[in-house]
Amino acid sequence: MYNIAVLGAGIIGVSTAINIQKQIPSARVKIISEKFGQETTSWGAGGLFRPTAKFIRGIPEETIRRWARMGWDFYSSLAVSDQAKESGMQIVSGYILTQTKVENPTYKDCVYSFHEVSRKSAEEMGFGHYKYVYLVTTVIAIVKDYLPWLFKRFKENGGETEQRRIDDLNELVGVYDLVVNCTGLGSRTLFGDTSIFPVRGQLLRVRAPWIKHFIYTEEDAYLIPNGDLLVVGGCRQENNFNLNIETSDREGILERCYKICPALKGAVIDHEWTGLRPTRFPIRIEKEVLQLKRGRLMVVHNYGHGANGISMSWGTSLDAAELVKDALLSAKL
Ligand SMILES: Cc1cc2nc3c(=O)[nH]c(=O)nc-3n(C[C@H](O)[C@H](O)[C@H](O)COP(=O)(O)OP(=O)(O)OC[C@H]3O[C@@H](n4cnc5c(N)ncnc54)[C@H](O)[C@@H]3O)c2cc1C
């Protein structure tokens, strides 16, 4: 029986842990993490399935499309199942507003529908100053439901958890046959990877039950229905580690969002949130054998998903779990 530790309890850690359980049913899998649940970056994300190749540099397009497809098959099957409520997967329609033509986006072959909106309709909806408006029907993951749902599956399969910060990888040598690194931004210090950096985002969750659709622009203004609440965002600030809520960011977000959706006025703020998108070009999914003071440590990495971590979590985790299986089999030979 293999002993495997997955480091990190965000969306990437738990998705990878479940896929390892599926691919190696005899393995003992433990998630070790400093933070769980609402303390993770994953918890607060908007969760819209709209993987954007622009934010995933250094990966072949066919791989990005394959990850998107694998994720879509899983999320969309949940959204139409009797697990939809519990898993937080919901079908949602909305508009993408842009000044440049969107020819063949990564998500086009996945989502339920993708159509260009006529000029007349775009103008009637107040989107006339955008050259192109697309109507898209996709899914959102309400992460505050989806993350606990995944943890429940993980525990039902015999998975264990431990709340602990790892500062020295030597602690894991001889205890685990393999360690999976899903620590996101934590890889900077734990694995010395300075190529991962934060892209700070701030958003609001408001009560606006009269707005049922999403609106997405390329100018840091978006609205995403999120269960009983509506996510209103956002911003993208590279290399900014600040986790405080900034008044100036809130004012900027609201000003931009009122412009694309005047109907937002009157919405009551439920809460605000900031998060750091763990960004790396390319996303790192690979095997490595580390020679540490206490001995060898087999590691599989899965981190650096940036703005696409929710959309890409399932697809990348399937590949990472496959690497875990390969690494263990080749070590046995
Ligand atoms: C404002 C905002 C909006 C977003 N909207 C979307 C969206 O609409 N769609 C989408 O697909 N994505 C979105 N994202 C991106 C998404 O949130 C991230 O890509 C994703 O959450 C990354 O998941 P993760 O598991 O890698 O990281 P995290 O959720 O940060 O988890 C990392 C885990 O590692 C643990 N850890 C770190 N270091 C250590 C250590 N030394 N020892 C032990 N444990 C450690 C942490 O405690 C944590 O549990 C958004 C992000 C932000 C900030």
Side-chain angles (χ1 to χ4, degrees), residues 255-311:
E255 195 186 317
R256 292 189 293 277
C257 288
Y258 288 148
K259 270 193 201 142
I260 55 165
C261 184
L264 182 63
K265 291 219 168 121
V268 173
I269 298 176
D270 187 86
H271 64 274
E272 293 174 82
W273 180 77
T274 57
L276 308 179
R277 299 173 181 91
T279 308
R280 186 182 190 276
F281 301 129
I283 296 172
R284 188 173 187 198
I285 303 179
E286 65 185 8
K287 295 186 268 186
E288 184 180 27
V289 178
L290 297 175
Q291 299 294 341
L292 301 171
K293 235 188 299 168
R294 285 201 194 149
R296 282 171 86 242
L297 187 67
M298 260 200 295
V299 178
V300 168
H301 297 281
N302 186 10
Y303 67 93
H305 297 64
N308 288 285
I310 311 301
S311 306

Short mmCIF file of all heavy atoms in Angstrom, two decimals, residues 255-311:
data_model
loop_
_atom_site.label_atom_id
_atom_site.label_comp_id
_atom_site.label_asym_id
_atom_site.label_seq_id
_atom_site.Cartn_x
_atom_site.Cartn_y
_atom_site.Cartn_z
N GLU A 255 -17.68 51.44 -9.76
CA GLU A 255 -17.84 52.42 -10.86
C GLU A 255 -17.86 51.70 -12.22
O GLU A 255 -18.72 51.96 -13.06
CB GLU A 255 -16.67 53.40 -10.79
CG GLU A 255 -16.89 54.65 -11.61
CD GLU A 255 -15.63 55.52 -11.62
OE1 GLU A 255 -15.00 55.69 -10.56
OE2 GLU A 255 -15.29 56.00 -12.72
N ARG A 256 -16.92 50.76 -12.40
CA ARG A 256 -16.86 50.05 -13.68
C ARG A 256 -18.10 49.16 -13.88
O ARG A 256 -18.65 49.07 -14.98
CB ARG A 256 -15.58 49.19 -13.76
CG ARG A 256 -14.29 49.98 -13.84
CD ARG A 256 -13.09 49.09 -14.12
NE ARG A 256 -12.73 48.17 -13.05
CZ ARG A 256 -12.00 48.49 -11.98
NH1 ARG A 256 -11.55 49.72 -11.82
NH2 ARG A 256 -11.72 47.58 -11.06
N CYS A 257 -18.53 48.53 -12.79
CA CYS A 257 -19.67 47.60 -12.92
C CYS A 257 -20.99 48.33 -13.10
O CYS A 257 -21.88 47.85 -13.80
CB CYS A 257 -19.72 46.63 -11.74
SG CYS A 257 -18.38 45.42 -11.85
N TYR A 258 -21.14 49.51 -12.48
CA TYR A 258 -22.37 50.30 -12.70
C TYR A 258 -22.49 50.68 -14.18
O TYR A 258 -23.58 50.77 -14.73
CB TYR A 258 -22.38 51.57 -11.85
CG TYR A 258 -22.61 51.34 -10.37
CD1 TYR A 258 -22.04 52.18 -9.40
CD2 TYR A 258 -23.41 50.29 -9.92
CE1 TYR A 258 -22.24 51.98 -8.05
CE2 TYR A 258 -23.63 50.08 -8.55
CZ TYR A 258 -23.03 50.93 -7.63
OH TYR A 258 -23.23 50.73 -6.29
N LYS A 259 -21.31 50.90 -14.82
CA LYS A 259 -21.34 51.30 -16.24
C LYS A 259 -21.87 50.17 -17.11
O LYS A 259 -22.65 50.39 -18.04
CB LYS A 259 -19.93 51.67 -16.71
CG LYS A 259 -19.62 53.12 -16.51
CD LYS A 259 -18.37 53.52 -17.26
CE LYS A 259 -17.82 54.80 -16.64
NZ LYS A 259 -16.38 54.83 -16.58
N ILE A 260 -21.43 48.93 -16.83
CA ILE A 260 -21.88 47.82 -17.69
C ILE A 260 -23.24 47.31 -17.25
O ILE A 260 -23.92 46.61 -17.99
CB ILE A 260 -20.86 46.64 -17.73
CG1 ILE A 260 -20.53 46.13 -16.33
CG2 ILE A 260 -19.61 47.04 -18.50
CD1 ILE A 260 -19.85 44.77 -16.33
N CYS A 261 -23.65 47.64 -16.01
CA CYS A 261 -24.92 47.14 -15.50
C CYS A 261 -25.52 48.14 -14.50
O CYS A 261 -25.42 47.94 -13.28
CB CYS A 261 -24.70 45.77 -14.85
SG CYS A 261 -26.23 45.00 -14.29
N PRO A 262 -26.16 49.21 -15.02
CA PRO A 262 -26.76 50.19 -14.10
C PRO A 262 -27.77 49.53 -13.15
O PRO A 262 -28.01 50.03 -12.04
CB PRO A 262 -27.45 51.17 -15.05
CG PRO A 262 -26.74 51.02 -16.36
CD PRO A 262 -26.31 49.59 -16.43
N ALA A 263 -28.33 48.39 -13.55
CA ALA A 263 -29.32 47.68 -12.70
C ALA A 263 -28.71 47.20 -11.38
O ALA A 263 -29.43 46.80 -10.46
CB ALA A 263 -29.90 46.50 -13.47
N LEU A 264 -27.39 47.26 -11.31
CA LEU A 264 -26.72 46.83 -10.07
C LEU A 264 -26.98 47.81 -8.92
O LEU A 264 -26.88 47.43 -7.74
CB LEU A 264 -25.21 46.73 -10.36
CG LEU A 264 -24.29 46.26 -9.26
CD1 LEU A 264 -24.63 44.82 -8.86
CD2 LEU A 264 -22.83 46.34 -9.71
N LYS A 265 -27.30 49.06 -9.26
CA LYS A 265 -27.51 50.08 -8.21
C LYS A 265 -28.63 49.60 -7.28
O LYS A 265 -29.64 49.06 -7.73
CB LYS A 265 -27.87 51.43 -8.84
CG LYS A 265 -26.67 52.01 -9.56
CD LYS A 265 -26.53 53.51 -9.39
CE LYS A 265 -25.16 53.93 -9.88
NZ LYS A 265 -25.12 54.87 -10.94
N GLY A 266 -28.42 49.76 -6.01
CA GLY A 266 -29.42 49.32 -5.03
C GLY A 266 -29.06 47.97 -4.42
O GLY A 266 -29.69 47.54 -3.45
N ALA A 267 -28.05 47.31 -4.97
CA ALA A 267 -27.63 46.02 -4.40
C ALA A 267 -26.96 46.27 -3.04
O ALA A 267 -26.24 47.25 -2.87
CB ALA A 267 -26.65 45.34 -5.34
N VAL A 268 -27.23 45.37 -2.10
CA VAL A 268 -26.67 45.52 -0.75
C VAL A 268 -25.42 44.64 -0.64
O VAL A 268 -25.45 43.45 -1.01
CB VAL A 268 -27.72 45.10 0.31
CG1 VAL A 268 -27.13 45.09 1.71
CG2 VAL A 268 -28.94 46.01 0.22
N ILE A 269 -24.34 45.22 -0.14
CA ILE A 269 -23.09 44.44 -0.03
C ILE A 269 -23.23 43.43 1.10
O ILE A 269 -23.56 43.78 2.24
CB ILE A 269 -21.88 45.36 0.23
CG1 ILE A 269 -21.69 46.32 -0.95
CG2 ILE A 269 -20.60 44.54 0.46
CD1 ILE A 269 -20.58 47.35 -0.77
N ASP A 270 -22.99 42.16 0.79
CA ASP A 270 -23.00 41.11 1.82
C ASP A 270 -21.61 41.00 2.45
O ASP A 270 -21.45 41.05 3.65
CB ASP A 270 -23.41 39.78 1.18
CG ASP A 270 -23.60 38.69 2.21
OD1 ASP A 270 -24.70 38.60 2.76
OD2 ASP A 270 -22.62 37.95 2.49
N HIS A 271 -20.60 40.84 1.62
CA HIS A 271 -19.22 40.87 2.13
C HIS A 271 -18.24 41.12 0.99
O HIS A 271 -18.60 41.03 -0.19
CB HIS A 271 -18.86 39.59 2.89
CG HIS A 271 -18.88 38.34 2.05
ND1 HIS A 271 -20.00 37.60 1.82
CD2 HIS A 271 -17.89 37.73 1.37
CE1 HIS A 271 -19.71 36.57 1.05
NE2 HIS A 271 -18.44 36.62 0.75
N GLU A 272 -17.00 41.43 1.38
CA GLU A 272 -15.95 41.68 0.38
C GLU A 272 -14.80 40.70 0.62
O GLU A 272 -14.66 40.15 1.72
CB GLU A 272 -15.44 43.12 0.52
CG GLU A 272 -16.49 44.13 0.13
CD GLU A 272 -16.03 45.54 0.41
OE1 GLU A 272 -15.29 46.10 -0.41
OE2 GLU A 272 -16.40 46.08 1.47
N TRP A 273 -14.01 40.54 -0.41
CA TRP A 273 -12.96 39.51 -0.32
C TRP A 273 -11.78 39.86 -1.22
O TRP A 273 -11.98 40.47 -2.29
CB TRP A 273 -13.57 38.17 -0.76
CG TRP A 273 -12.64 37.00 -0.73
CD1 TRP A 273 -12.23 36.30 0.37
CD2 TRP A 273 -12.01 36.37 -1.85
NE1 TRP A 273 -11.37 35.28 -0.01
CE2 TRP A 273 -11.22 35.30 -1.37
CE3 TRP A 273 -12.02 36.62 -3.23
CZ2 TRP A 273 -10.48 34.48 -2.19
CZ3 TRP A 273 -11.26 35.79 -4.06
CH2 TRP A 273 -10.50 34.74 -3.53
N THR A 274 -10.60 39.50 -0.77
CA THR A 274 -9.43 39.60 -1.66
C THR A 274 -8.76 38.23 -1.75
O THR A 274 -8.82 37.44 -0.80
CB THR A 274 -8.34 40.57 -1.15
OG1 THR A 274 -7.95 40.15 0.15
CG2 THR A 274 -8.81 42.00 -1.12
N GLY A 275 -8.11 37.96 -2.85
CA GLY A 275 -7.39 36.69 -3.01
C GLY A 275 -6.22 36.91 -3.95
O GLY A 275 -6.21 37.85 -4.75
N LEU A 276 -5.24 36.01 -3.83
CA LEU A 276 -4.05 36.11 -4.68
C LEU A 276 -4.05 34.93 -5.65
O LEU A 276 -3.90 33.78 -5.22
CB LEU A 276 -2.78 36.08 -3.80
CG LEU A 276 -2.74 37.09 -2.64
CD1 LEU A 276 -1.43 36.94 -1.85
CD2 LEU A 276 -2.89 38.54 -3.15
N ARG A 277 -4.23 35.22 -6.93
CA ARG A 277 -4.24 34.14 -7.93
C ARG A 277 -2.81 33.59 -8.04
O ARG A 277 -1.89 34.35 -8.40
CB ARG A 277 -4.68 34.69 -9.29
CG ARG A 277 -6.09 35.28 -9.30
CD ARG A 277 -6.39 35.94 -10.63
NE ARG A 277 -7.70 36.54 -10.71
CZ ARG A 277 -7.97 37.82 -10.39
NH1 ARG A 277 -7.02 38.62 -9.96
NH2 ARG A 277 -9.19 38.28 -10.51
N PRO A 278 -2.63 32.30 -7.75
CA PRO A 278 -1.26 31.74 -7.82
C PRO A 278 -0.87 31.51 -9.26
O PRO A 278 -1.29 30.54 -9.89
CB PRO A 278 -1.39 30.42 -7.05
CG PRO A 278 -2.84 30.05 -7.11
CD PRO A 278 -3.63 31.29 -7.39
N THR A 279 -0.05 32.41 -9.81
CA THR A 279 0.17 32.43 -11.26
C THR A 279 1.59 31.99 -11.63
O THR A 279 2.57 32.47 -11.04
CB THR A 279 -0.08 33.86 -11.78
OG1 THR A 279 -1.37 34.28 -11.29
CG2 THR A 279 -0.07 33.92 -13.30
N ARG A 280 1.65 31.11 -12.60
CA ARG A 280 2.96 30.64 -13.09
C ARG A 280 2.81 30.32 -14.57
O ARG A 280 1.80 29.73 -14.98
CB ARG A 280 3.38 29.38 -12.33
CG ARG A 280 4.77 28.89 -12.65
CD ARG A 280 5.04 27.60 -11.88
NE ARG A 280 6.42 27.17 -11.93
CZ ARG A 280 6.95 26.44 -12.93
NH1 ARG A 280 6.21 26.11 -13.97
NH2 ARG A 280 8.22 26.06 -12.86
N PHE A 281 3.81 30.72 -15.35
CA PHE A 281 3.80 30.40 -16.79
C PHE A 281 4.98 29.48 -17.07
O PHE A 281 6.11 29.93 -16.98
CB PHE A 281 3.91 31.67 -17.63
CG PHE A 281 2.79 32.65 -17.36
CD1 PHE A 281 3.06 33.98 -17.07
CD2 PHE A 281 1.46 32.23 -17.38
CE1 PHE A 281 2.04 34.89 -16.83
CE2 PHE A 281 0.43 33.13 -17.13
CZ PHE A 281 0.72 34.46 -16.86
N PRO A 282 4.76 28.21 -17.40
CA PRO A 282 3.46 27.57 -17.47
C PRO A 282 3.01 27.03 -16.11
O PRO A 282 3.82 26.97 -15.17
CB PRO A 282 3.74 26.38 -18.41
CG PRO A 282 5.17 26.03 -18.13
CD PRO A 282 5.87 27.31 -17.78
N ILE A 283 1.73 26.63 -16.03
CA ILE A 283 1.25 25.86 -14.86
C ILE A 283 2.22 24.68 -14.73
O ILE A 283 2.63 24.10 -15.73
CB ILE A 283 -0.18 25.33 -15.13
CG1 ILE A 283 -1.17 26.47 -15.30
CG2 ILE A 283 -0.63 24.36 -14.04
CD1 ILE A 283 -2.56 26.03 -15.75
N ARG A 284 2.58 24.33 -13.50
CA ARG A 284 3.56 23.25 -13.35
C ARG A 284 2.88 21.93 -12.99
O ARG A 284 2.36 21.76 -11.89
CB ARG A 284 4.58 23.62 -12.27
CG ARG A 284 5.72 22.62 -12.22
CD ARG A 284 6.80 23.07 -11.27
NE ARG A 284 7.96 22.20 -11.35
CZ ARG A 284 8.90 22.14 -10.43
NH1 ARG A 284 8.83 22.92 -9.36
NH2 ARG A 284 9.91 21.31 -10.56
N ILE A 285 2.93 21.00 -13.94
CA ILE A 285 2.43 19.64 -13.67
C ILE A 285 3.55 18.71 -14.11
O ILE A 285 3.71 18.43 -15.31
CB ILE A 285 1.13 19.35 -14.46
CG1 ILE A 285 0.08 20.41 -14.10
CG2 ILE A 285 0.59 17.95 -14.17
CD1 ILE A 285 -1.23 20.25 -14.81
N GLU A 286 4.36 18.30 -13.16
CA GLU A 286 5.49 17.44 -13.52
C GLU A 286 6.03 16.68 -12.32
O GLU A 286 5.77 17.05 -11.18
CB GLU A 286 6.60 18.24 -14.21
CG GLU A 286 7.26 19.28 -13.34
CD GLU A 286 8.26 20.14 -14.10
OE1 GLU A 286 8.36 20.04 -15.33
OE2 GLU A 286 8.97 20.93 -13.45
N LYS A 287 6.80 15.61 -12.66
CA LYS A 287 7.43 14.78 -11.62
C LYS A 287 8.82 15.33 -11.32
O LYS A 287 9.46 15.90 -12.20
CB LYS A 287 7.65 13.36 -12.14
CG LYS A 287 6.43 12.57 -12.45
CD LYS A 287 6.79 11.14 -12.82
CE LYS A 287 6.98 10.95 -14.31
NZ LYS A 287 7.19 9.58 -14.77
N GLU A 288 9.26 15.09 -10.10
CA GLU A 288 10.61 15.51 -9.73
C GLU A 288 11.08 14.60 -8.59
O GLU A 288 10.26 14.21 -7.75
CB GLU A 288 10.58 16.96 -9.25
CG GLU A 288 11.93 17.53 -8.93
CD GLU A 288 11.88 19.00 -8.46
OE1 GLU A 288 10.84 19.41 -7.90
OE2 GLU A 288 12.87 19.70 -8.63
N VAL A 289 12.38 14.26 -8.59
CA VAL A 289 12.90 13.53 -7.43
C VAL A 289 13.88 14.47 -6.73
O VAL A 289 14.86 14.92 -7.35
CB VAL A 289 13.60 12.22 -7.85
CG1 VAL A 289 14.17 11.51 -6.61
CG2 VAL A 289 12.63 11.29 -8.57
N LEU A 290 13.59 14.79 -5.47
CA LEU A 290 14.46 15.71 -4.73
C LEU A 290 15.44 14.91 -3.88
O LEU A 290 15.06 13.91 -3.26
CB LEU A 290 13.61 16.61 -3.82
CG LEU A 290 12.61 17.54 -4.51
CD1 LEU A 290 11.76 18.26 -3.46
CD2 LEU A 290 13.35 18.56 -5.36
N GLN A 291 16.69 15.37 -3.87
CA GLN A 291 17.69 14.75 -2.99
C GLN A 291 17.81 15.66 -1.78
O GLN A 291 18.39 16.73 -1.87
CB GLN A 291 19.06 14.63 -3.70
CG GLN A 291 19.05 13.76 -4.95
CD GLN A 291 18.77 12.29 -4.65
OE1 GLN A 291 18.93 11.83 -3.52
NE2 GLN A 291 18.35 11.54 -5.66
N LEU A 292 17.24 15.26 -0.67
CA LEU A 292 17.24 16.11 0.52
C LEU A 292 18.21 15.55 1.56
O LEU A 292 18.74 14.45 1.41
CB LEU A 292 15.82 16.19 1.10
CG LEU A 292 14.75 16.74 0.13
CD1 LEU A 292 13.37 16.56 0.71
CD2 LEU A 292 15.01 18.20 -0.18
N LYS A 293 18.38 16.30 2.65
CA LYS A 293 19.31 15.88 3.71
C LYS A 293 18.98 14.47 4.22
O LYS A 293 19.83 13.63 4.39
CB LYS A 293 19.23 16.88 4.86
CG LYS A 293 20.58 17.47 5.21
CD LYS A 293 20.55 18.32 6.46
CE LYS A 293 19.62 19.50 6.33
NZ LYS A 293 19.30 20.22 7.51
N ARG A 294 17.68 14.22 4.41
CA ARG A 294 17.28 12.92 4.96
C ARG A 294 17.08 11.83 3.92
O ARG A 294 16.70 10.72 4.24
CB ARG A 294 15.97 13.08 5.75
CG ARG A 294 16.18 13.75 7.08
CD ARG A 294 15.03 13.43 8.02
NE ARG A 294 15.07 14.32 9.14
CZ ARG A 294 14.02 14.74 9.82
NH1 ARG A 294 12.82 14.32 9.49
NH2 ARG A 294 14.16 15.56 10.83
N GLY A 295 17.22 12.18 2.63
CA GLY A 295 17.07 11.15 1.58
C GLY A 295 16.27 11.66 0.40
O GLY A 295 16.03 12.86 0.25
N ARG A 296 15.84 10.69 -0.46
CA ARG A 296 15.12 11.04 -1.69
C ARG A 296 13.65 11.29 -1.40
O ARG A 296 13.06 10.62 -0.56
CB ARG A 296 15.16 9.86 -2.67
CG ARG A 296 16.44 9.68 -3.42
CD ARG A 296 16.44 8.36 -4.16
NE ARG A 296 15.81 8.45 -5.47
CZ ARG A 296 14.73 7.77 -5.82
NH1 ARG A 296 14.13 6.94 -4.99
NH2 ARG A 296 14.23 7.89 -7.04
N LEU A 297 13.08 12.24 -2.13
CA LEU A 297 11.64 12.48 -2.00
C LEU A 297 11.05 12.60 -3.41
O LEU A 297 11.45 13.48 -4.18
CB LEU A 297 11.37 13.76 -1.20
CG LEU A 297 9.90 14.02 -0.86
CD1 LEU A 297 9.35 12.98 0.12
CD2 LEU A 297 9.73 15.42 -0.25
N MET A 298 10.12 11.68 -3.72
CA MET A 298 9.44 11.76 -5.02
C MET A 298 8.31 12.78 -4.92
O MET A 298 7.49 12.71 -3.99
CB MET A 298 8.83 10.40 -5.36
CG MET A 298 9.68 9.60 -6.33
SD MET A 298 8.70 8.34 -7.13
CE MET A 298 8.27 7.29 -5.78
N VAL A 299 8.28 13.69 -5.87
CA VAL A 299 7.28 14.76 -5.83
C VAL A 299 6.58 14.85 -7.19
O VAL A 299 7.22 14.70 -8.23
CB VAL A 299 7.95 16.13 -5.52
CG1 VAL A 299 6.93 17.26 -5.52
CG2 VAL A 299 8.69 16.10 -4.18
N VAL A 300 5.28 15.07 -7.15
CA VAL A 300 4.54 15.46 -8.36
C VAL A 300 3.97 16.84 -8.08
O VAL A 300 3.32 17.05 -7.04
CB VAL A 300 3.43 14.44 -8.72
CG1 VAL A 300 2.50 15.02 -9.79
CG2 VAL A 300 4.05 13.13 -9.21
N HIS A 301 4.22 17.79 -8.98
CA HIS A 301 3.73 19.15 -8.78
C HIS A 301 2.43 19.38 -9.55
O HIS A 301 2.27 18.87 -10.67
CB HIS A 301 4.76 20.17 -9.31
CG HIS A 301 6.07 20.12 -8.58
ND1 HIS A 301 6.24 20.71 -7.35
CD2 HIS A 301 7.26 19.56 -8.91
CE1 HIS A 301 7.50 20.52 -6.96
NE2 HIS A 301 8.13 19.83 -7.89
N ASN A 302 1.56 20.17 -8.97
CA ASN A 302 0.34 20.62 -9.66
C ASN A 302 -0.02 21.99 -9.08
O ASN A 302 -0.79 22.08 -8.12
CB ASN A 302 -0.79 19.61 -9.47
CG ASN A 302 -2.03 19.96 -10.30
OD1 ASN A 302 -1.97 20.85 -11.15
ND2 ASN A 302 -3.13 19.28 -10.06
N TYR A 303 0.52 23.06 -9.66
CA TYR A 303 0.25 24.39 -9.12
C TYR A 303 0.50 25.48 -10.16
O TYR A 303 1.08 25.22 -11.21
CB TYR A 303 1.10 24.66 -7.86
CG TYR A 303 2.59 24.75 -8.10
CD1 TYR A 303 3.21 25.99 -8.33
CD2 TYR A 303 3.39 23.63 -8.09
CE1 TYR A 303 4.58 26.09 -8.55
CE2 TYR A 303 4.76 23.71 -8.30
CZ TYR A 303 5.35 24.94 -8.54
OH TYR A 303 6.70 25.02 -8.75
N GLY A 304 0.00 26.68 -9.82
CA GLY A 304 0.26 27.85 -10.68
C GLY A 304 -0.88 28.14 -11.65
O GLY A 304 -0.64 28.69 -12.73
N HIS A 305 -2.12 27.82 -11.26
CA HIS A 305 -3.26 27.92 -12.19
C HIS A 305 -3.80 29.34 -12.40
O HIS A 305 -4.71 29.54 -13.20
CB HIS A 305 -4.40 27.02 -11.70
CG HIS A 305 -4.05 25.56 -11.69
ND1 HIS A 305 -3.08 25.05 -10.87
CD2 HIS A 305 -4.54 24.52 -12.37
CE1 HIS A 305 -2.97 23.74 -11.07
NE2 HIS A 305 -3.85 23.39 -11.98
N GLY A 306 -3.27 30.30 -11.66
CA GLY A 306 -3.64 31.71 -11.89
C GLY A 306 -5.14 31.96 -11.86
O GLY A 306 -5.83 31.60 -10.91
N ALA A 307 -5.63 32.58 -12.94
CA ALA A 307 -7.04 33.00 -13.00
C ALA A 307 -7.99 31.86 -13.36
O ALA A 307 -9.20 32.06 -13.42
CB ALA A 307 -7.18 34.11 -14.04
N ASN A 308 -7.43 30.68 -13.63
CA ASN A 308 -8.25 29.58 -14.15
C ASN A 308 -8.31 28.37 -13.23
O ASN A 308 -8.65 27.27 -13.70
CB ASN A 308 -7.68 29.13 -15.50
CG ASN A 308 -7.94 30.15 -16.58
OD1 ASN A 308 -9.06 30.28 -17.06
ND2 ASN A 308 -6.92 30.91 -16.92
N GLY A 309 -7.98 28.55 -11.99
CA GLY A 309 -7.84 27.39 -11.10
C GLY A 309 -9.11 26.59 -10.89
O GLY A 309 -9.05 25.36 -10.74
N ILE A 310 -10.24 27.25 -10.88
CA ILE A 310 -11.48 26.49 -10.66
C ILE A 310 -11.82 25.74 -11.95
O ILE A 310 -12.04 24.53 -11.94
CB ILE A 310 -12.65 27.41 -10.21
CG1 ILE A 310 -12.21 28.35 -9.06
CG2 ILE A 310 -13.89 26.60 -9.86
CD1 ILE A 310 -11.72 27.69 -7.81
N SER A 311 -11.80 26.47 -13.07
CA SER A 311 -12.13 25.86 -14.37
C SER A 311 -11.21 24.68 -14.70
O SER A 311 -11.65 23.68 -15.25
CB SER A 311 -11.97 26.88 -15.49
OG SER A 311 -12.71 28.03 -15.24
#
